[in-house]
Amino acid sequence: MRLSVIVPTRNRAGSLKKLLQSLHEVECPGSLELEVLVVDNGSTDGTQEMIAGELPGRRRFSLRVLNELTKGKASALNLGLASAKGEFLLVLDDDVVVHAQFLAKHLECYEATDFDAVQGRVLPGLDPEGKPADLGRLREYNIPWNDYGDDYREIRGLTGTNMSFKRRVFEKVGFFDTRLGPGAAGFSEDSEYSIRIRHAGFKIGYTPHAVVYHELNPERYGRKYNRAVEYRKGVSRSLYRRDSILLGVIPNLIANCLRYGLYRLAGQSQKAYRTEGRIMKCWGYLMGRTRGASSPDTHRNM
């Protein structure tokens, strides 16, 4: 059995080094042939030199480095997909570290279920000083956070931080939409891909056992960053969805504005924080539609 891990990266040499070190420690089933493809998307921070130092070392997997000059995570992912040889394709962000059993647990989920794509659990990791997250303020770290409980379950969407799918899914669904994701519209390349996976008749599932830990970055903390992120999510969504503005987006915007005021008055800071993000997402969607989004069926690197 062959599995390909694809890691798109740009200017996160330190984080990527930690990820590769955690992959060195991962438990691989004896029959598994593992390759790791790092796709550098134009880094200027010494990423190439760091990887060059990793290449001569002994490891449990083959390490290949690819260079994608077209800006955008989706473009980097597409080069990785086009180059991968695995029967299973697994995507990781470059700012996580993996649990030692996360590979085995992804494969175990496929054996135990009829899922065609799998979302693993994403938990908060450590900050630059090695301190864990304050569990009472998780949203304020503004990291991907996927925890649907302790059992397998079918879900609607994948988060690219820790996701996998069978090769047949890629062969039918194709490449990621290069208008979306970091380096382009900002977000939602995984959400749009999930929609196409479901429309193609495949099932998406969640496993609690395939765990990665997302680093905590102080530059991402707080309301200002959250507002900008949610706004970009709204703009990104406007490129591939056609939600009703009059019957959906504007009523949601008004309702969330009212909720936000009530939560602030009641001192419910975490609910207010989340609702403020929803307001910005609605606003971003409206602005994206106002500027005119191109057809959702274009701009894929097929």
Side-chain angles (χ1 to χ4, degrees):
M1 184 184 299
R2 179 177 287 176
L3 186 149
S4 300
V5 177
I6 302 169
V7 184
T9 189
R10 177 178 169 83
N11 288 339
R12 284 182 176 157
S15 300
L16 179 62
K17 185 177 180 66
K18 293 177 184 177
L19 168 59
L20 292 176
Q21 289 172 341
S22 70
L23 286 170
H24 290 323
E25 305 300 324
V26 78
E27 297 176 11
C28 292
S31 60
L32 180 66
E33 184 178 340
L34 175 64
E35 66 169 356
V36 176
L37 293 83
V38 175
V39 188
D40 186 11
N41 195 213
S43 295
T44 57
D45 67 341
T47 291
Q48 290 283 348
E49 292 78 6
M50 184 279 293
I51 297 175
E54 293 287 318
L55 286 172
R58 297 182 62 184
R59 62 185 65 83
R60 299 178 181 180
F61 54 84
S62 65
L63 175 62
R64 286 198 284 156
V65 182
L66 308 173
N67 293 285
E68 175 54 68
L69 299 181
T70 300
K71 184 180 179 182
K73 179 182 178 181
S75 294
L77 280 171
N78 289 345
L79 178 58
L81 288 170
S83 306
K85 300 175 181 178
E87 302 165 50
F88 294 90
L89 307 169
L90 195 154
V91 175
L92 288 174
D93 278 354
D94 58 1
D95 51 358
V96 303
V97 295
V98 304
H99 187 277
Q101 293 185 317
F102 106 106
L103 283 180
K105 294 303 181 180
H106 265 279
L107 296 174
E108 184 179 286
C109 182
Y110 286 112
E111 293 175 358
T113 69
D114 60 351
F115 300 146
D116 303 290
V118 170
Q119 171 69 56
R121 184 179 264 177
V122 181
L123 299 177
L126 304 176
D127 69 11
E129 297 179 355
K131 297 178 181 178
D134 177 351
L135 298 183
R137 304 179 66 184
L138 282 178
R139 294 192 179 278
E140 296 175 38
Y141 294 104
N142 297 314
I143 61 171
W145 174 33
N146 290 89
D147 189 349
Y148 297 106
D150 297 328
D151 300 303
Y152 296 140
R153 57 174 292 185
E154 187 172 357
I155 59 174
R156 292 183 57 79
L158 297 164
T159 299
T161 309
N162 175 18
M163 69 180 185
S164 65
F165 40 89
K166 296 175 181 178
R167 173 165 288 278
R168 68 180 183 180
V169 172
F170 164 59
E171 290 173 346
K172 186 169 184 179
V173 174
F175 292 94
F176 284 84
D177 188 332
T178 56
R179 297 171 302 164
L180 303 173
F187 293 90
S188 301
E189 80 289 343
D190 42 13
S191 299
E192 189 274 341
Y193 202 71
S194 299
I195 292 173
R196 284 191 278 142
I197 288 174
R198 296 199 314 273
H199 287 175
F202 296 114
K203 294 180 69 173
I204 301 173
Y206 160 79
T207 173
H209 311 298
V211 180
V212 304
Y213 301 92
H214 198 289
E215 72 177 16
L216 306 179
N217 182 350
E219 295 180 2
R220 301 173 66 157
Y221 296 175
R223 292 175 59 196
K224 181 178 180 180
Y225 186 91
N226 181 58
R227 289 195 297 267
V229 163
E230 295 301 324
Y231 178 84
R232 294 307 306 173
K233 286 181 179 179
V235 172
S236 299
R237 180 176 289 190
S238 75
L239 291 172
Y240 69 95
R241 287 177 52 152
R242 286 297 177 265
D243 299 340
S244 171
I245 290 177
L246 291 178
L247 299 179
V249 181
I250 290 178
N252 281 337
L253 177 61
I254 294 171
N256 280 303
C257 286
L258 293 173
R259 291 191 190 100
Y260 177 75
L262 292 174
Y263 290 146
R264 289 297 300 269
L265 288 173
Q268 296 179 305
S269 60
Q270 289 296 293
K271 288 185 176 181
Y273 190 91
R274 179 174 60 185
T275 304
E276 184 178 32
R278 289 172 175 167
I279 292 170
M280 295 306 298
K281 186 181 292 183
C282 289
W283 187 246
Y285 185 91
L286 288 173
M287 292 299 99
R289 288 290 298 274
T290 299
R291 294 169 186 168
S294 56
S295 167
D297 294 322
T298 60
H299 298 289
R300 293 181 192 140
N301 283 345
M302 301 300 288

